[in-house]
Amino acid sequence: MYSQGLIGADSSSDETPEFMAAFQQRIDREEKIEPNDPMPSGYRKTLIRQIGQHAHSEIVGMLPEGNWVTRAPTLRRKTALLAKVQDEGGHGLYLYSAAETLGVSRKQMTEELLDGRAKYSSIFNYPTPTWADIGAIGWLVDGAAIMNQIPLCRCSFGPYARAMVRVCKEESFHQRQGYEIMVTLAHGAPEQKEMAQDALNRWWWPSMMMFGPHDSDNTNSDQSMAWKIKRFTNDELRQKFVDATVPQAEYLGLSLPDPDLKWNPDKNDGKGSYDFGPIDWDEFWRVVKGGGMMNKDRIAARKKAWDDGEWVREAALAHAKKRKNQQATQNVAAE
């Protein structure tokens, strides 16, 4: 499964109770686990799955917004959106690099995405028919991503945690950029406000689904929490997102598409929090399993990019091999 190089750090064959207890003690002491450290095979596999899915999501996430780079309403909007799309490409590269330290190749991760073994966030399987969608994505999708990702800066695996520090700084800017678009539309002409409300109606529930299933339905959650890969449960993060977003929607003068949404002063140990309606998990799983409006288009775009870039990868490898041979020849000559 793993490429050669760092696989020597895998201690799956020696996962005695004593080893597992010692590893957990390191986690409990808040020590960072580094790529060459002994680690349980389950810890390694969980990270490869999670970081790989995160990396795929950043790369696929370029597609719905890239659709609007040439159609943004002003030059300032075009340049800002282009910069954001470039940031997302960079995030994907950071994360692929972090996953590679665990012994899996980028080639393998990409092939697993293309043949359906690996997933990306279901949120990117929804279309972006209007400019307001770009604002809603920045505000809601990036806002939900920030809720998920800030705790990852304290993930127990060092390379993932360090990559997330820069990712979160840039995602915070993306969220503000999206909200500023929504402010402009919501405070503009009636047609613009209507467009903003329509985008909010379409993106609210998919954004709520971004945090994943309820924790009672997630068999991996408890172990990830124990290993401190995750710091909060899916439901805790979803609640934080709702509590942060409702006041923002009120400022915009827009209505969240949830008739059950209401303030509950007794929730959150008496501090108060929002109640919200049930999530359509049937839709979530349908999209995850390939039934979303844009699933086929997203994978087709990634496959085309992967196939079109094959000559670049081959050229880079040939160049690296040539440089290595030249260096070897120079070393022999120097001796």
Side-chain angles (χ1 to χ4, degrees):
M1 175 178 180
Y2 304 114
S3 61
Q4 296 298 318
L6 296 175
I7 188 63
D10 185 13
S11 56
S12 58
S13 61
D14 301 313
E15 290 181 11
T16 62
E18 293 77 15
F19 168 80
M20 298 298 289
F23 182 80
Q24 189 61 51
Q25 288 171 3
R26 290 194 62 191
I27 298 291
D28 294 341
R29 290 194 299 266
E30 299 289 342
E31 294 182 21
K32 284 286 183 279
I33 307 301
E34 300 298 339
N36 286 324
D37 292 344
M39 64 183 74
S41 61
Y43 180 82
R44 183 186 300 274
K45 290 176 182 177
T46 297
L47 283 166
I48 289 174
R49 177 188 57 78
Q50 180 171 329
I51 300 173
Q53 178 174 316
H54 194 167
H56 298 324
S57 299
E58 294 285 354
I59 299 299
V60 174
M62 299 166 66
L63 298 173
E65 293 175 305
N67 181 45
W68 275 93
V69 168
T70 60
R71 297 186 290 154
T74 68
L75 179 59
R76 183 174 76 87
R77 296 294 192 195
K78 284 182 172 66
T79 55
L81 182 58
L82 182 59
K84 180 185 179 184
V85 172
Q86 289 174 322
D87 284 348
E88 289 165 347
H91 297 171
L93 297 180
Y94 304 152
L95 294 165
Y96 282 133
S97 296
E100 285 177 319
T101 68
L102 290 161
V104 63
S105 70
R106 196 169 310 191
K107 181 176 184 290
Q108 177 184 327
M109 286 187 283
T110 303
E111 290 174 346
E112 289 176 352
L113 171 68
L114 297 179
D115 66 21
R117 284 177 290 164
K119 302 297 183 182
Y120 57 89
S121 178
S122 62
I123 195 75
F124 300 118
N125 290 314
Y126 292 85
T128 52
T130 74
W131 172 247
D133 289 278
I134 304 305
I137 287 174
W139 173 33
L140 300 175
V141 176
D142 292 332
I146 290 166
M147 288 293 178
N148 263 318
Q149 294 173 6
I150 286 178
L152 292 174
C153 296
R154 296 188 291 124
C155 173
S156 59
F157 184 57
Y160 195 19
R162 291 188 288 271
M164 291 312 303
V165 171
R166 179 168 179 175
V167 170
C168 286
K169 288 180 180 178
E170 294 176 351
E171 291 289 2
S172 295
F173 182 79
H174 298 166
Q175 194 269 348
R176 292 195 295 272
Q177 177 183 329
Y179 190 67
E180 192 267 339
I181 293 173
M182 295 298 281
V183 168
T184 301
L185 293 173
H187 295 168
E191 294 83 0
Q192 291 176 305
K193 184 173 183 179
E194 182 180 350
M195 183 191 299
Q197 182 65 62
D198 174 66
L200 172 56
N201 292 345
R202 287 183 287 104
W203 288 95
W204 174 248
W205 289 110
S207 297
M208 293 281 279
M209 297 174 192
M210 281 183 66
F211 298 95
H214 292 304
D215 300 292
S216 58
D217 300 326
N218 187 353
T219 57
N220 297 319
S221 184
D222 289 345
Q223 185 60 76
S224 291
M225 293 281 288
W227 280 330
K228 296 187 179 180
I229 295 172
K230 292 176 59 174
R231 295 284 178 157
F232 298 96
T233 68
N234 295 348
D235 290 324
E236 287 173 334
L237 291 171
R238 190 167 14 247
Q239 186 66 62
K240 287 175 179 284
F241 172 71
V242 173
D243 291 344
T245 307
V246 171
Q248 296 169 350
E250 290 175 347
Y251 176 79
L252 292 172
L254 301 178
S255 300
L256 293 171
D258 182 357
D260 297 323
L261 185 71
K262 64 180 183 298
W263 178 254
N264 183 345
D266 300 322
K267 205 170 182 179
N268 191 22
D269 296 327
K271 297 177 183 177
S273 196
Y274 285 94
D275 290 332
F276 52 89
I279 296 171
D280 185 353
W281 292 113
D282 289 339
E283 177 186 344
F284 172 78
W285 289 115
R286 177 178 59 79
V287 175
V288 167
K289 294 176 181 179
M293 292 178 66
M294 303 301 295
N295 284 69
K296 292 181 180 179
D297 296 66
R298 302 298 185 228
I299 291 298
R302 287 300 302 128
K303 187 176 189 311
K304 183 177 186 303
W306 182 249
D307 292 344
D308 289 350
E310 183 175 4
W311 73 271
V312 178
R313 298 191 297 275
E314 292 178 350
L317 289 172
H319 179 69
K321 183 177 180 180
K322 180 180 178 181
R323 291 291 300 273
K324 183 178 180 180
N325 291 338
Q326 288 175 340
Q327 187 62 51
T329 301
Q330 292 173 358
N331 292 340
V332 170
E335 293 173 0

